[in-house]
Structures are given as structure tokens and as C-alpha cells.
Amino acid sequence: MSIWSFKNNGRTLCINTADTPAPWTNKLFNSEYILDLTQRMQGEGTVISPVFRTTPQIAEKRDFFVKFGGEDFRLLCGQGEDYRCEQSPESSEVFEKFSGFSASVRAFVPVRGKAEIWTVKIKNETEKTAD
């Protein structure tokens, strides 16, 4: 499998590993806010300030953890069995499979406002009950 491919007529870049030679960054923005995210969903959000021409940093590192089957798993690190990041002009989303569950983490910047919106989905793919 190639390290990357395109889908949606070239509109979406699919990165098939968390471990690229260098970070592959997606720039999501509106007129008030910019969010730079790598294939591991790390990066920074900045507020655009027309008065001072500065962009104060909002956040740089985000961590997501799941407890499943008595074990702790860290998402977005490529520790799962399958890892894929899809970057498009609208959003960045990571899909990751682990032993017994799958996860997706999606982020986007709304059309207006100084905000970034995150969605995390976890799916139990076994008959075990979650911790």
C-alpha cells in the first residue's frame, strides 16, 4: 500500500500512516481563525487579529485516550492495526483500528467564528462490554 493516495476526484488526500517522513499539514480556516493540523491531528489554532496583525496561538497538542478491555490506548499515534488520515479543504479526519475497537477523530473550522469543532467516535467491534 502506498503511503498516500487521493479520492473524491483529488479533493481528499488519504495518508495511510501516522509516520510520514515529515508532518503533512492541512490548513483549515475562515476569516477569523486558522487551524493547522498534521496527519496525527497535532498543530495549532490561531485567531486572526486585523488590528495588530498578530495571530495568538490557541492550542498546539491534543491527546485522546481510550480505556478498552482493561488497557489504555492513545489515539492518533499510529499504534493501532490500521491508520488513515483524510485531509480535505473542509476537514481533517483520522480513522484508526485497534484490537477490538475502532476510532475516528474529525476536526473542522466553521464558516464563521473563532472556533474549531472536534468529533470523536469510538466503536466497540467485539461483544465485550466497555470499561
Side-chain angles (χ1 to χ4, degrees), residues 69-126:
E71 293 183 62
D72 293 327
F73 297 89
R74 185 174 176 192
L75 304 181
L76 309 173
C77 292
Q79 297 174 343
E81 299 153 8
D82 188 25
Y83 190 95
R84 184 178 82 251
C85 176
E86 295 185 359
Q87 295 181 341
S88 71
E90 296 84 26
S91 67
S92 286
E93 186 166 10
V94 167
F95 302 90
E96 202 166 12
K97 288 189 179 191
F98 291 86
S99 181
F101 73 95
S102 61
S104 70
V105 178
R106 180 177 185 262
F108 70 95
V109 172
V111 175
R112 288 187 250 354
K114 300 173 181 125
E116 52 191 66
I117 311 294
W118 290 76
T119 306
V120 179
K121 296 180 183 178
I122 309 294
K123 181 180 178 187
N124 183 350
E125 296 185 348
T126 70

Side-chain angles (χ1 to χ4, degrees), residues 1-108:
M1 175 184 281
S2 172
I3 192 171
W4 61 274
S5 62
F6 286 105
K7 72 180 203 180
N8 298 332
N9 293 323
R11 191 165 172 81
T12 302
L13 172 65
C14 299
I15 304 165
N16 299 312
T17 181
D19 299 316
T20 56
W24 291 8
T25 304
N26 193 12
K27 195 172 283 289
L28 305 166
F29 60 93
N30 63 27
S31 62
E32 301 174 72
Y33 193 78
I34 300 170
L35 177 61
D36 290 311
L37 287 178
T38 70
Q39 77 281 359
R40 289 186 178 201
M41 303 296 270
Q42 300 300 322
E44 55 186 47
T46 53
V47 175
I48 299 169
S49 173
V51 176
F52 299 107
R53 300 281 183 219
T54 59
T55 52
Q57 182 174 326
I58 300 300
E60 188 169 323
K61 189 160 174 56
R62 297 149 185 96
D63 290 309
F64 298 92
F65 295 90
V66 173
K67 187 173 188 86
F68 184 84
E71 293 183 62
D72 293 327
F73 297 89
R74 185 174 176 192
L75 304 181
L76 309 173
C77 292
Q79 297 174 343
E81 299 153 8
D82 188 25
Y83 190 95
R84 184 178 82 251
C85 176
E86 295 185 359
Q87 295 181 341
S88 71
E90 296 84 26
S91 67
S92 286
E93 186 166 10
V94 167
F95 302 90
E96 202 166 12
K97 288 189 179 191
F98 291 86
S99 181
F101 73 95
S102 61
S104 70
V105 178
R106 180 177 185 262
F108 70 95

